[in-house]
Amino acid sequence: MEFPKFLLGDNTDYPTAIFVVHTEYPRFIINLENDEVEWLEDFTKEDEKELEEESVNLIEAATAFYDREVSRYEE
């Protein structure tokens, strides 16, 4: 099964949280309520350096995805 690059998620145990799931490498979940990121990968020290650079772009893309999705609901 193929998944979209980003998915929206919610959970009644976290009523104010807005989760965006990034399904491609490096997989992560970001809570847009507090910008907390949970990485779903194990990284080596070498990977961490590259990840630091790329994580800003990935988080901006996740936020843009959320904004786009919300604007579509409002239409």
Side-chain angles (χ1 to χ4, degrees):
M1 176 186 301
E2 191 171 322
F3 294 107
K5 184 174 184 173
F6 293 105
L7 299 169
L8 285 178
D10 67 352
N11 187 300
T12 56
D13 291 335
Y14 303 90
T16 60
I18 301 166
F19 298 104
V20 175
V21 181
H22 182 254
T23 63
E24 298 176 357
Y25 184 85
R27 297 172 302 144
F28 65 88
I29 301 171
I30 182 171
N31 180 348
L32 295 179
E33 176 187 36
N34 58 16
D35 292 334
E36 185 177 336
V37 176
E38 180 70 30
W39 298 98
L40 304 175
E41 311 285 356
D42 292 324
F43 300 107
T44 66
K45 289 290 183 190
E46 296 164 350
D47 290 339
E48 287 180 10
K49 187 170 204 163
E50 183 179 329
L51 180 63
E52 286 177 19
E53 298 168 4
E54 184 62 22
S55 64
V56 172
N57 296 331
L58 291 170
I59 291 168
E60 286 176 359
T63 302
F65 164 77
Y66 172 76
D67 292 340
R68 186 193 77 187
E69 291 299 298
V70 168
S71 72
R72 288 179 175 177
Y73 285 121
E74 293 171 352
E75 291 178 355

